[in-house]
Amino acid sequence: MDGSVASSSVWDTQKVYKHHEQQNVAQTRPKYREGRRLKAVKVYTINLESRYLLVQGVPAIGVMAELVQLFALYGVIEEYRPLDEYPAEQFTEVYLIQFQKLTSARAAKRHTDEKSFFGGQLHVCYAPEYETVEETKQKLQDRRRYVNWASQNAAKLHSQQAEVNTESSSSTDTRTAEAPIMQKNPEEARRENVNSDYMGFPLLPLPPTADISYRLQNHFTQPSQLQWTKETTEDKMGSLHNFIPPVQKTSTQSESSSSSGVKEGDLRQKQKISTPSIRFMPRTTHLESRKRKLDEQTFFLKEADKTGVLIGPKLPELPKLDMEDSSLNVTANLIRNTMTKAASVPEAKPVQAKHTTPKPRRRI
Amino acid sequence: MAGKNRFSVSDRFEYLQGLVTEFQDSDSDEAKEQVLANLANFAYDPSNMEALRTLQVTELFLDMLTEENENFVEFGIGGLCNLSMELESRDQILQSGGVPLVISCLSSSRDETVLSAITTLMNLITASSRSEITDSAVLQCMLRFSHTQNPRLRNLACVFLQEHCTQKQVDTARHALQGQSQSAVGIPLPKD
């Protein structure tokens, strides 16, 4: 018995081993350990791997050359042959392919198993039973050498990564150190709001964008707050001539510069308008400023919509009345459109508004 | 190899830690089998070995070798087979007294378990552990395996005898095998 086994070449073994059979895939894995492909519960060791691949399910239509071409994509093939005696499904053939390198066989199996090939589905598995003793010995030695080379490399890489990590953590430290400074901005802005409330002129809430508050802090809150408090005291003393020129400067800036500049300008403008209104506010000016406030509000809302960072509930849209008649609806729409057009006009030409504001001061 | 690392070292560690925790907390054998197979397959990749050692997965695998469930044993020894390729993990297994446990796997009725055990034993051979692993009983078992019909088992047993045993050792073992003092290592118990 021993002699017959020893004399038979490895290429003659036609037994179907358990590891040739396709196992059922596990369907019950929780999400976090579910891979991209469903796989059977199986442990791969070097014993199971081999340079020999058994390819089942090849359609028996004379496509051996194509099959070999397909597998040659993954590495040098040393030998291949059809296993005629191997039990195969009807109209399919089984091939044995021996790669020069184990890594090629691994790549080939990974990419061809369960793939369709000329209308059939390939089942590719390792066939270590075709190895000789020498090949098995070599395989184990190669694996041992590779693992120790790789783990030494990994240790090196790990120590390098540790260095990088300490570097990056120090850089994040500086970043977090910077953050509190940024967070101060809304606080200051709020303080400013309280200030203005106290003076009886509620400012619009600042837009919730961080960069705007940052800009406001730099260019607006500190200098203008000082300016403004100074100016208001002057206002109480009845002299406002110092007040006008800087405002006009900023408003002209606002026309030319970016949207944030516009906002600054608008805010200043409003302060300027509301300051004189303590004592003498002609009704027309009052109405004008009220309308401007409304415009600014819508302007801010639009701005927030654009940037997409609006916090809090939005203003309700104007209810659209159904006139229960199509022609009446058309007329109502027409009127509505004209109204919105008319309402948007002063926003388009703020220069006129600015010219009107110095007028009341002349009456002092 | 470096380009393959899609996950950072800490991410890997956390994921593996999650697996170990699930294994310890789970009551379902099915889930435990899946997690154990996952861990054993992770042990194939050298870049995971350090994390697995830190998480004491070596001990976990060794504990599996005495389980009733044959799947647990197969996956546990498979994991050890993968881990023991690396020198540091090998030393850890030796320190934990893993050799007798691995030798007991030679008597399994499952081919994969026996194959993994042979490879693990070969990996575990060092100057100090050689005498324990190339024990007469183990050699007799390998001699028996070298005459089986299964080519994989035959090859691996031959590699074991050729690479790690002296001719003298093999001869005495062969003599013992023909005589009365046969050991029962590597002979699976009949199933009931």
Side-chain angles (χ1 to χ4, degrees):
Chain A
M1 183 196 95
D2 286 353
S4 68
V5 170
S7 64
S8 66
S9 151
V10 283
W11 292 96
D12 295 335
T13 344
Q14 304 302 340
K15 211 178 146 201
V16 179
Y17 290 96
K18 211 181 136 202
H19 67 267
H20 293 178
E21 287 159 21
Q22 206 155 15
Q23 290 177 29
N24 291 330
V25 297
Q27 304 280 2
T28 57
R29 291 193 217 266
K31 194 89 186 166
Y32 90 102
R33 48 185 175 78
E34 200 171 74
R36 279 184 216 105
R37 285 196 247 167
L38 285 177
K39 286 185 176 169
V41 184
K42 188 173 184 175
V43 172
Y44 273 96
T45 66
I46 189 64
N47 293 323
L48 208 59
E49 288 190 312
S50 178
R51 301 191 290 141
Y52 292 82
L53 286 185
L54 193 75
V55 185
Q56 301 179 67
V58 183
I61 50 172
V63 285
M64 183 167 81
E66 284 82 355
L67 185 80
V68 173
Q69 272 170 19
L70 172 70
F71 278 80
L73 288 175
Y74 303 100
V76 180
I77 295 174
E78 262 184 16
E79 216 171 333
Y80 63 88
R81 71 169 192 121
L83 296 179
D84 294 330
E85 312 83 45
Y86 195 94
E89 267 185 51
Q90 215 180 358
F91 311 122
T92 69
E93 288 172 336
V94 180
Y95 286 85
L96 184 67
I97 295 177
Q98 183 195 354
F99 280 94
Q100 204 172 57
K101 284 181 182 171
L102 178 68
T103 46
S104 315
R106 194 187 294 150
K109 179 188 183 296
R110 197 182 145 79
H111 289 102
T112 55
D113 191 20
E114 293 183 351
K115 294 284 153 66
S116 69
F117 180 75
F118 284 91
Q121 199 194 33
L122 296 182
H123 171 46
V124 184
C125 63
Y126 295 115
E129 57 279 350
Y130 291 97
E131 290 171 352
T132 63
V133 175
E134 272 311 305
E135 283 169 341
T136 308
K137 200 187 282 183
Q138 195 60 44
K139 177 178 81 174
L140 289 172
Q141 271 174 5
D142 287 349
R143 175 74 190 153
R144 242 171 258 144
R145 203 173 298 138
Y146 168 73
V147 167
N148 286 297
W149 171 82
S151 60
Q152 274 167 10
N153 254 23
K156 267 184 219 162
L157 204 96
H158 187 66
S159 59
Q160 277 173 0
Q161 251 173 5
E163 278 170 34
V164 171
N165 278 347
T166 49
E167 274 170 35
S168 68
S169 67
S170 66
S171 72
T172 49
D173 279 350
T174 56
R175 236 173 273 146
T176 46
E178 275 169 9
I181 303 168
M182 289 286 287
Q183 282 169 352
K184 274 180 198 163
N185 296 335
E187 268 181 44
E188 274 177 33
R190 222 173 290 133
R191 227 178 294 143
E192 191 211 350
N193 269 353
V194 170
N195 243 348
S196 58
D197 275 339
Y198 173 74
M199 297 303 289
F201 319 116
L203 277 177
L204 286 168
L206 288 168
T209 19
D211 61 336
I212 288 169
S213 62
Y214 179 73
R215 252 186 243 132
L216 284 174
Q217 198 231 346
N218 276 353
H219 306 282
F220 176 60
T221 49
Q222 282 175 337
S224 83
Q225 212 176 339
L226 283 171
Q227 253 181 16
W228 186 34
T229 45
K230 212 170 79 189
E231 280 153 8
T232 44
T233 49
E234 277 171 9
D235 179 36
K236 273 170 189 166
M237 287 164 80
S239 107
L240 278 164
H241 61 278
N242 276 341
F243 181 61
I244 304 154
V247 169
Q248 276 178 335
K249 225 180 255 172
T250 50
S251 59
T252 45
Q253 264 178 10
S254 75
E255 279 167 64
S256 57
S257 68
S258 67
S259 63
S260 65
V262 172
K263 260 170 257 162
E264 283 171 34
D266 285 342
L267 280 170
R268 281 171 177 234
Q269 201 181 315
K270 198 162 54 51
Q271 284 164 12
K272 180 194 68 188
I273 296 153
S274 46
T275 321
S277 77
I278 319 165
R279 289 197 205 148
F280 25 75
M281 174 73 103
R283 175 148 177 84
T284 46
T285 330
H286 182 73
L287 285 175
E288 237 174 21
S289 70
R290 203 208 232 162
K291 195 181 172 194
R292 204 172 296 117
K293 261 185 206 169
L294 262 169
D295 287 346
E296 276 165 4
Q297 213 163 350
T298 51
F299 174 74
F300 269 95
L301 283 175
K302 269 181 215 161
E303 190 71 10
D305 272 347
K306 258 182 241 164
T307 49
V309 281
L310 180 69
I311 297 170
K314 285 184 184 178
L315 287 172
E317 275 185 25
L318 284 171
K320 283 193 177 175
L321 279 174
D322 193 5
M323 310 300 279
E324 288 175 7
D325 185 336
S326 61
S327 71
L328 276 177
N329 274 339
V330 169
T331 321
N333 272 334
L334 205 77
I335 294 167
R336 235 175 259 135
N337 288 340
T338 326
M339 291 288 277
T340 49
K341 231 184 253 175
S344 64
V345 168
E347 197 193 25
K349 33 180 182 178
V351 193
Q352 282 183 345
K354 266 157 224 153
H355 281 300
T356 56
T357 40
K359 272 179 191 168
R361 261 170 231 106
R362 267 182 227 140
R363 289 184 201 164
I364 301 168
Chain B
M1 190 63 224
K4 236 189 194 178
N5 286 335
R6 279 168 292 139
F7 303 103
S8 74
V9 175
S10 58
D11 284 349
R12 266 166 200 264
F13 186 82
E14 261 172 49
Y15 185 83
L16 294 172
Q17 194 167 36
L19 285 179
V20 173
T21 311
E22 189 190 345
F23 183 82
Q24 281 159 349
D25 294 352
S26 176
D27 295 323
S28 145
D29 268 15
E30 194 187 7
K32 279 188 148 194
E33 280 176 18
Q34 289 172 2
V35 173
L36 192 61
N38 278 164
L39 285 170
N41 281 320
F42 275 119
Y44 188 88
D45 186 345
S47 55
N48 292 324
M49 297 228 177
E50 198 185 342
L52 291 173
R53 274 201 308 275
T54 316
L55 291 165
Q56 293 185 304
V57 174
T58 334
E59 296 284 332
L60 192 153
F61 287 152
L62 283 171
D63 285 344
M64 289 306 108
L65 303 189
T66 47
E67 285 284 327
E68 292 273 307
N69 185 330
E70 293 239 40
N71 283 333
F72 283 170
V73 181
E74 182 183 328
F75 299 158
I77 191 69
L80 285 173
C81 176
N82 285 335
L83 271 182
S84 59
M85 290 280 168
E86 192 221 23
L87 301 180
E88 265 187 74
S89 303
R90 173 197 72 185
D91 294 342
Q92 208 176 32
I93 297 169
L94 287 172
Q95 274 165 23
S96 312
V99 175
L101 290 167
V102 177
I103 289 176
S104 71
C105 289
L106 293 175
S107 309
S108 169
S109 55
R110 289 202 186 181
D111 286 354
E112 291 303 331
T113 306
V114 177
L115 289 165
S116 295
I118 299 173
T119 309
T120 309
L121 283 177
M122 286 195 275
N123 288 336
L124 289 178
I125 290 177
T126 63
S128 52
S129 67
R130 182 178 294 272
S131 59
E132 191 184 4
I133 292 171
T134 56
D135 175 68
S136 172
V138 178
L139 288 201
Q140 286 176 38
C141 161
M142 293 301 163
L143 279 171
R144 274 198 298 272
F145 286 157
S146 67
H147 296 296
T148 56
Q149 292 273 5
N150 184 337
R152 295 173 67 202
L153 196 55
R154 204 168 60 221
N155 281 350
L156 219 51
C158 284
V159 173
F160 185 97
L161 292 170
Q162 285 176 21
E163 270 215 328
H164 303 288
C165 310
T166 60
Q167 191 57 47
K168 198 183 161 198
Q169 273 180 308
V170 177
D171 286 342
T172 44
R174 191 170 284 139
H175 188 72
L177 202 59
Q178 283 155 1
Q180 294 300 308
S181 58
Q182 276 198 32
S183 81
V185 173
I187 302 173
L189 291 169
K191 280 183 184 167
D192 31 43

